[in-house]
Amino acid sequence: MESTDALSILSAEGFTTPLGPTRPPARRRVDSVDDIFSRLRQGDRGALSRAITLVESARESDQVLASELLDRALPLTGLSVRVGITGSPGVGKSTLIEALGMHIVGQGKKLAVLTVDPSSPSTHGSILGDKSRMAELSAHPNAYIRPSPSGCRLGGVANQTREAIQMCEAARFDVVFIETVGVGQSEIEVRNMVDCFLLLALSGAGDELQGIKRGIMEMADVIGLTKADGDNRLRAEVAAGQIERALMLLPPDPMGRRAKVQLCSAKDRTGIDTIWESISQFVEEDKANGRFDWRRGNQAVTWMEELVHQSLLAAWLRREDIKQATESLADAVRELRTTPRSAANHLLGIVQTDLRSKSIRFE
Amino acid sequence: MESTDALSILSAEGFTTPLGPTRPPARRRVDSVDDIFSRLRQGDRGALSRAITLVESARESDQVLASELLDRALPLTGLSVRVGITGSPGVGKSTLIEALGMHIVGQGKKLAVLTVDPSSPSTHGSILGDKSRMAELSAHPNAYIRPSPSGCRLGGVANQTREAIQMCEAARFDVVFIETVGVGQSEIEVRNMVDCFLLLALSGAGDELQGIKRGIMEMADVIGLTKADGDNRLRAEVAAGQIERALMLLPPDPMGRRAKVQLCSAKDRTGIDTIWESISQFVEEDKANGRFDWRRGNQAVTWMEELVHQSLLAAWLRREDIKQATESLADAVRELRTTPRSAANHLLGIVQTDLRSKSIRFE
């Protein structure tokens, strides 16, 4: 697939000769929005990677291209299913995602897997094991796997991922997985960009529920108990019952539904189809009852608000008098001459003064 | 301890009679800052709980009291050691914290344990098991354990925890643990309010490093490998070597130090003293080389900046024209009449218009 794409670029731009290229062509950047977008619409993975790189880039010229691509992609984004997947380290998330992904591409669907990892802005992924993750799935022509963005521009990983999802959808991917790591803030962010949320938990470890935070359980639409195979199967069934009883303590969703608990094993390839059926059924129900569109609408509004807040703060920090006052107050705080709270009040006092005249100046 | 405190309150306020109280006194709120603060300085745990509740409260009258308490507490905060502790669910964090805590109070020190759990703003803690955590430590007169704040006011859990730390320090606690859950955003927040960061990891599970994200490892000053006992001891030693080699791939801190990896077992009570020695040594070195004060200064500046940003956004959202435009644009975004990005630009355009006249009005 990659080589076909590479060739098609070459021929489109006249780099092939009757004898073929005499040396590997230099890596070139194709920066026309028309070109990237038309290749994106053909499902070209090189163009998709380029588009996501633009979206993640902090360079202003890249951001202009990214904005144009996003504008064009917007009408095309309603057709995919976005699935958030979370689970603590050690539950076998990668192998389960690979098995679930192989099941989905086996149905002739195109699947993109994006990861969100807020724990490391400057590096990404585990210190070991990233390269060999999902080897089978990543080799499949209908799968596209993109690791966590390594940069950190205004708005952070969440907005970059939102925009990467839209690029995948423009490239006609039917299903987009957004994989997140850990049990914290990133789940809340991911829940707010997907249609269905799958929680993976390890069954039969003796403390089945300890690792599942109530807040995460409240977000889950489907719960998969991993490694339910061999000697572990029976304990997994016990754990499933425990979790189902725990779920009864939580209120159901507005449609009266509670998260479905499914046993699964990536090793035995059991339960994988059931998990996908549960996800599909959840999404179909939501499409029928209007919650699918309602949720996506709310997500878009949240996105709008976040963009505004980020820009506002940036404008505040560009104001010269604020910048100077912040610097001198920071020194005072650092030297224990004032408290953070008093210094903040003083800075806000610059606004307060303006408040009396009903205005605040921005540069 | 609790009963002594209760009696001292009673006698101070004339509730005791020669026959003693004839019925349990009704739960009263002692709302004088002078009173709370003087009891706090005596190490009264009832006063400490009250002070932290004020700090966590969203009520304006409580916030006024909280601010006064914080102002008074500020000069008193340099004397404790603040230790952040993280680890994935299942590593045995609670039992290790309890063992480490017992070691510390055994040295005659006073220890407070606070938890940060951003995963659930409306509920807190695991769905099971919270009540029986750290039973031995919580019964010790020199220990104080405070669960995650359950409310969610402006600024979130992080600021509430920062202020709770200061209350503990005003109450003369020598060591404050800030325990966090998961491997995400909360670690970054906690790292930014402590002097030393302890990462707990499970040894000998076969995939020793899988659960440790590079970003977390970069933050750790000390790494404890838990459950290094019995049959697991040898595998734990192997894991320790693996982690030490992985650490060599990361740059050392500016003092040339890399995280120390220590085996420990809460069950056998081994390695607990070594972990505490590593933490103490790290902090002593930082006090000697100036990084302790430098780091606390930076943390205070970050705190100031966060307070400003939160207040700014609140002011923006109180502006009537912004509020109305936000509502109508939200409808447009929800009905797919415009994109989040375009709507955000339009909202910011209200500021842009003002920018031409060099002013933006706040209510």
Side-chain angles (χ1 to χ4, degrees), chain A residues 56 113-115 124 130 145-150:
Chain A
E56 291 172 356
V113 181
L114 308 175
T115 59
H124 61 80
D130 243 15
I145 299 178
R146 176 88 179 186
S148 199
S150 56

Side-chain angles (χ1 to χ4, degrees), chain A residues 48-329:
Chain A
L48 177 55
S49 290
R50 177 81 186 117
I52 296 180
T53 300
L54 287 173
V55 146
E56 291 172 356
S57 167
R59 287 178 56 185
E60 204 170 321
S61 59
D62 288 347
Q63 280 298 300
V64 171
L65 295 176
S67 288
E68 278 189 56
L69 282 172
L70 288 165
D71 285 348
R72 294 207 200 178
L74 203 102
L76 311 167
T77 59
L79 301 172
S80 80
V81 172
R82 304 169 185 172
V83 181
I85 306 181
T86 191
S88 301
V91 302
K93 195 163 40 184
S94 295
T95 47
L96 201 282
I97 288 177
E98 173 156 56
L100 191 57
M102 290 305 291
H103 176 73
I104 290 167
V105 295
Q107 296 185 334
K109 290 192 165 67
K110 289 183 67 179
L111 168 72
V113 181
L114 308 175
T115 59
V116 173
D117 177 7
S119 65
S120 174
S122 61
T123 61
H124 61 80
S126 296
I127 200 164
L128 295 180
D130 243 15
K131 286 179 189 163
S132 58
R133 289 175 69 219
M134 305 187 213
E136 192 185 359
L137 185 62
S138 60
H140 196 284
N142 279 346
Y144 176 84
I145 299 178
R146 176 88 179 186
S148 199
S150 56
C152 191
R153 66 171 172 81
L154 190 69
V157 170
N159 278 345
Q160 294 177 46
T161 305
R162 279 190 172 112
E163 295 174 344
I165 292 171
Q166 303 211 313
M167 295 296 104
C168 294
E169 291 172 335
R172 303 180 193 272
F173 279 83
D174 305 295
V175 180
V176 183
F177 283 177
I178 297 94
E179 175 194 0
T180 179
V181 181
V183 291
Q185 185 61 28
S186 60
E187 275 71 17
I188 298 171
E189 286 182 355
V190 169
R191 185 65 194 91
N192 208 18
M193 58 177 86
V194 298
D195 307 313
C196 183
F197 199 64
L198 168 65
L199 165 65
L200 298 177
L202 183 59
S203 60
D207 46 3
E208 289 74 16
L209 292 179
Q210 194 183 338
I212 309 181
K213 307 295 296 176
R214 179 168 174 154
I216 302 290
M217 210 187 255
E218 282 171 350
M219 278 186 242
D221 304 307
V222 179
I223 297 176
L225 283 183
T226 57
K227 303 184 186 175
D229 43 43
D231 294 347
N232 208 31
R233 179 83 195 179
L234 187 63
R235 278 182 297 176
E237 285 169 9
V238 174
Q242 272 188 289
I243 291 176
E244 276 165 355
R245 281 190 295 279
L247 286 170
M248 293 306 289
L249 302 174
L250 300 176
D253 83 357
M255 301 290 110
R257 296 174 297 192
R258 285 192 166 86
K260 282 196 185 154
V261 183
Q262 309 280 7
L263 302 189
C264 58
S265 162
K267 197 174 77 182
D268 295 353
R269 301 260 159 151
T270 54
I272 307 297
D273 50 347
T274 328
I275 285 187
W276 181 239
E277 268 165 37
S278 297
I279 293 170
S280 302
Q281 190 194 337
F282 180 88
V283 171
E284 287 312 312
E285 284 172 10
D286 273 0
K287 281 188 173 167
N289 66 33
R291 277 180 65 81
F292 184 90
D293 288 338
W294 174 85
R295 186 188 291 112
R296 284 211 173 179
N298 283 349
Q299 291 173 348
V301 169
T302 304
W303 185 358
M304 171 192 82
E305 289 169 347
E306 285 174 11
L307 287 170
V308 168
H309 295 174
Q310 289 152 17
S311 303
L312 252 192
L313 290 183
W316 165 266
L317 293 173
R318 273 196 304 272
R319 217 177 93 157
E320 196 53 44
D321 57 341
I322 297 287
K323 210 194 282 182
Q324 286 175 8
T326 301
E327 277 169 24
S328 70
L329 283 164

Side-chain angles (χ1 to χ4, degrees), chain B residues 20 66 75 88 108 113 125 184 192 252 289 311 315 319:
Chain B
S88 301
V113 181
N192 208 18
N289 65 34
S311 303
R319 217 177 93 158

Side-chain angles (χ1 to χ4, degrees), chain B residues 1-14 16 39 42 44:
Chain B
M1 193 77 173
E2 289 292 335
S3 61
T4 311
D5 293 340
L7 282 179
S8 68
I9 300 166
L10 289 175
S11 60
E13 305 195 6
T16 47
R39 287 165 54 218
Q42 292 157 29
D44 179 322

